[in-house]
Amino acid sequence: MLATVNENSNDYEEPDLFGPAGHRMNLPERDMSLQVPDYTKKRPSSLCSDDGVLDDYEYEGTLHSQQGSFYLPNTGVLASTMKEDTSQLSAVIKMGWLDKNPPQGAIYYQRRWVKLDADYLRYFDTDKDVYSKGIISTAFITNVTTVGELKFEVVTNNRTFIFRAESEAERNEWVTVLQDCTSGRQRHTVMNPGSPLAPDYQGYLELKGLRSKLYTVVASDKVFLYKNIDDYRIGLGITSIEMNVGNIKVSDRRSFDLTTPYRIFSFIAESEQMREQWVNAMRDAIGEALSNSEVAERIWAESSNSLCADCEASKPEWAAINLCVVVCKQCAGEHRGLGPSISKVRSLKMDKKVWTEELIQLFLVIGNERANSFWAANVPPSEALSPSSCSEERRRFISNKYRQGKYRRYHALYGNQMELNHALCINVQCSDVLETLSLIFCGADVNCSTGLDSQPTPLSLATAHSQPLQAELLNHNLNTELPRLEEVDAMDPEPYPLPPSVSHNGFLFKTGSMARPVTERKAKEEFSRRWCTLNDGVFSYYESDKNSNPNGALKASEIVCLAVDNDDKHGYDCTFEIYSESERLYLFGTDDSEVRSQWVKSIAKTFIPVSAEPLLRLSFERIGKLMCKDGLNLQRSKVGWFALEGSVLHVYLEGSQVEEIHLRKLNELSIQQDNEVMVLVGKGRTLYIEGKRKLDFSCWCTAIQAAAGSGGDTLHEQQLTETDIPVIVDSCINYITQCGMVSEGIYRKSGVNSRVAALCERFRRDARSLCLREGEHQVDDVSNTLKRFFRELDEGVFTKQEFQSWLSTATIQDESMKISEYKHLLNKLPHVNKATLQALINHLYCVQHFSDENQMNNHNLAIVFGPTLFQTDGKDYAAGRAIEDLIEHYKLIFEVDEQQLNKQIKVIEAIRQMRELKNPPSERGGDFICTVYLEEKAPSAEKHVKIPGSMTALELTLEILDQRNIPIKDKDYWSCWEICCKEEMERPLHYQERVLPIVHSVGTESHLLIKKHPAMEAITLYLSSKPDASKHGMIKFREERSILGLGLTSFHDRYFILNYNSLRMYKDVRSNRPEREWPVKNLKVYLGIKKKLRPPTCWGLTVLYESKKQEKPERQQWYLCCETQSEMREWYATFLSIQYDGNVWPQDGLQHKRVSRELPDTRHGNVSLIPLRGSENEMRNSVAAFSQDQLAARSSASSDVP
């Protein structure tokens, strides 16, 4: 009797897919079919299958020669083009332990865990492995028979596999089940090229560290690995990978990783170009795995929709929702080329939100057969497509069919616009949607007038007569471009004059094309030298100047955007990007800026129309076309040609002159409707830019947002108001006018340095988006922000060339001569500087008007703002004197209308009176008194603290430690904790989290506690070791019992995936669809679980979810229980990192924050300030003797960093 070999024996080399190249990923114990061992067996480094060690040879031949030549078996999962539930497709019919005899005829057996489903017989090392040692397609099994004692044979045309069971009954059961599974099935002897489903991609890939390559097949939502192409042809593989849990990460030039919760497969492609194709194919497979087939199934219920409307390929998964046709993937690509103004292409499986019930019913009512009775009524047989038609044939046919309407059935009223419109208005009141389709695409105006005031358009008429399908059809064709026989650009409503012919050639360096924006620096090694030519509107690139066949080409009509990168962005100093209609990005580079400039100008001339030629004269950073609407006509989109130059966006719309939009002067800049529309609101003008193509639109958005922000530290580079005042200056002045005009010591008193720095940074990043609010921001913080802005300004408000003249003027004794000179200098300032200075002096004039209350007269303001505006050290008397002159003689120097100034002061008086009525002096400030405990809840440890609205957890922590004189040592992680005694849980507040909302939300059984965070060091170390913030694994889950008693009321195992966007819960690791999904930003995670819930371990998290929808707020509470403390910390750390974008703890620690909080500002030098309370004589005496003022020490200690 043959003995079973010990698995640790070295007599036979076990197969090991996951040695050097495939890495195990440790996971908690799971059920029998999914468990993965925590250990890794020592295996030989050679890659083997159960049939022996792979041969050490390189496969000769290219991927292109293999592509499309071989097909997967027409069975089960791989044969079905319809996406079904994976658990049903791969349901295990039988599984158990068997001994397997290797085919080399060895005298021993190897113990294998064997699973049989409808499509494959798989065998594994252990019952815990997810990926098999080998798979046998049941479609290739020709016979199953018993042989000898306890043994049976599984026979294919090429190989025989011998298995041995533990008992005769077990052997007979396996034979019966296998015979039942394979009986009546069509047999295959070799892969049939006529099989209905071709792989999406196939070819040889190398696993890192191994000499041999595996034949790899990407098909639908799976990846299959074969020893070689011969095994692929006869249906004998190594393993298959479900892509619903996969993720692709590109590493170096030819390598990429396929990561799953169980293994990391590190592949090496034959070239960088091949790697891109493999990565795209596998990402498509992931998309397919995660897609939803519910809509597709319903659409296919109409039999004609199960065949492509253009080429009759089976099970089409795309649709042109405005044309009412369902099409296959290949035809959908050509539909996209027509542009969204002709064909709006959407996926049946991935664009679920588009598919309303009305749209689904519209496709069921019309169907491809009825739609083609209109669109394809006159197709010559010689021009008809088939599923095997090439892309050029598809492009020609689809353009003829939909852009030109060449094959359509012409309506009897064709050519009579008035009658067509009248017929459309009548027909939308009934249910004949096919007639409406015919009327629209034979020329009826969807936006025509009905003559009725109550229902002015056909759309409103259809809605009023309860015809939702008619309304749906009309709604998707409000802006559709009607078919016409002449050829025009895919996006242009009207043909533009052709640009002049341009020729250019030379060497450039090129990377592989990309489907996403370039966010990382490309090294020189990633570029390849290419000979490039531009002739007759075609940009081509070749391997060398000796080659006659180009590697690739772009027609001028396919180019939609051209961008010039900043120097040194990539390995080559001078690079530029070309964006195509098919959403591909091409990156070219050179080290010569003149060469780049010539190429950019030449390429731009080929695709920018002659009518938009003024754009070509600009030194643009980005130029191209986008669909847009303006405030005058929101019904119809039109093509606009755009050029971005610095902070100015130049726009050309047909029939108008080139307009300039000064981006830094916009009132609003926002991106709306799921990142598909950018709204620019300026003075008297609103422009809506539409994202018909995601790639170039996203890059336009990024570039425009960057250009609209502050571009530097000079005044003219700031974001400006309509009156050319920096937004930061305008915002600070308005806030202080509203909230701080009578604040004692305004502009003299210190703010909190950390808050001032944070405000400056936010204003610098995007001043337009920051709204200063009372309670959230403090008056002294805002006033110091304004001072710091002027002090750090490059060249200052008076400019470097003239500031000495201003100081000299301050020393002139004759008042009239001095005022005249000030006027002269004021008129010499640049426009932005002059407007800014006038706004500031106007504000200071109003401040000193209330000096009886705020104690800031001209002299005090001058001493503060003199060194600030002139950027001196505070020792120069002339600087303060100049500012005091400007405030005192404000009306004369700036030639102000006194009546208008008095009106402004009356408005400020009214604001002050309203504030006093709203907030009596005893209640002013809005602070909240709260009890905070230090380390324990005890009377001796309690402290009563005033908490303003802007106080953060870090500031509260430092204040308590200061009051108790507790030193902060290195790696002391003092934190503010929210303790909930009733729920037996606690939560450390993030150091930037506002405390006041927490104080208001906690109940009587909760309190705030200052204590050290025991796990913060471990958390920061864990996060620093992770390449990205994500986590997945099995956790025990329990819900809070609902009012109806629904939900899981005991702990159950669930599989969780946590990423940047959401936390998803699956029933098990193989589930396709999540049972629940929550946005991470709406979750609040606490440490601890109530004991009365009887958690299986003590390492638990309580999670609160609160939706932020105003119309339907929702609150849920549930519990997660981990196996170990470290696992709980890892989950908690990942939540924290995602919610705060990786900013878990202050980079410089608490000690640095404490120092920055305490250090006074001394940059005013020795200039003294007038006492807040004092006589006029005291004030004048101090003016005469700045350096001898007894308050000098106190002034330097109390003044804040400006």
Side-chain angles (χ1 to χ4, degrees), residues 525-545:
E525 293 74 22
E526 298 180 69
F527 288 79
S528 302
R529 191 167 185 254
R530 295 288 181 261
W531 175 254
C532 301
T533 65
L534 183 63
N535 289 306
D536 299 324
V538 179
F539 176 74
S540 307
Y541 47 92
Y542 300 78
E543 194 75 28
S544 72
D545 56 348

Side-chain angles (χ1 to χ4, degrees), residues 762-896:
R762 289 188 62 189
F763 272 122
R764 189 177 292 112
R765 196 161 54 240
D766 186 6
R768 190 185 296 105
S769 65
L770 177 56
C771 180
L772 298 173
R773 294 184 176 89
E774 186 176 9
E776 184 177 343
H777 302 96
Q778 305 302 305
V779 169
D780 293 325
D781 293 339
V782 175
S783 65
N784 280 270
T785 299
L786 182 62
K787 290 191 294 180
R788 182 176 292 191
F789 168 75
F790 281 113
R791 176 172 284 278
E792 295 178 351
L793 206 59
D794 276 2
E795 299 187 0
V797 71
F798 295 106
T799 72
K800 288 182 178 179
Q801 295 81 6
E802 298 293 338
F803 91 96
Q804 198 61 50
S805 301
W806 286 85
L807 295 177
S808 301
T809 303
T811 62
I812 298 175
Q813 298 299 317
D814 187 282
E815 288 292 318
S816 61
M817 186 183 299
K818 182 192 293 187
I819 292 172
S820 176
E821 185 61 23
Y822 277 137
K823 283 185 177 182
H824 172 69
L825 292 173
L826 182 67
N827 290 327
K828 291 176 68 175
L829 287 177
H831 177 66
V832 174
N833 296 51
K834 180 180 178 180
T836 304
L837 181 61
Q838 180 166 357
L840 178 63
I841 300 302
N842 172 268
H843 171 64
L844 298 181
Y845 180 87
C846 295
V847 170
Q848 62 85 34
H849 183 80
F850 296 93
S851 61
D852 290 343
E853 295 172 81
N854 61 36
Q855 303 302 308
M856 294 300 288
N857 57 20
N858 289 356
H859 178 64
N860 272 348
L861 290 171
I863 292 177
V864 172
F865 276 95
T868 296
L869 295 179
F870 284 97
Q871 300 178 343
T872 62
D873 58 5
K875 296 179 180 180
D876 192 341
Y877 162 76
R881 181 72 258 180
I883 300 303
E884 189 168 358
D885 287 340
L886 291 176
I887 299 172
E888 184 178 348
H889 303 295
Y890 167 65
K891 290 183 282 188
L892 293 174
I893 296 173
F894 291 90
E895 299 177 352
V896 177

Side-chain angles (χ1 to χ4, degrees), residues 957-1017:
T957 302
L958 295 177
E959 183 166 331
I960 296 294
L961 296 178
D962 288 347
Q963 291 180 6
R964 293 298 181 99
N965 294 319
I966 296 176
I968 299 177
K969 300 177 183 178
D970 187 29
K971 294 189 177 179
D972 270 0
Y973 296 97
W974 286 97
S975 302
C976 178
W977 294 67
E978 176 190 350
I979 311 294
C980 183
C981 302
K982 180 180 178 181
E983 296 292 329
E984 300 175 39
M985 62 186 188
E986 60 183 12
R987 178 177 73 92
L989 273 60
H990 186 263
Y991 75 93
Q992 291 180 334
E993 193 170 349
R994 302 278 183 189
V995 178
L996 193 58
I998 305 301
V999 172
H1000 287 312
S1001 65
V1002 298
T1004 57
E1005 297 176 342
S1006 300
H1007 60 275
L1008 295 181
L1009 181 72
I1010 306 299
K1011 66 175 182 176
K1012 293 180 182 179
H1013 198 310
M1016 183 53 69
E1017 185 173 5

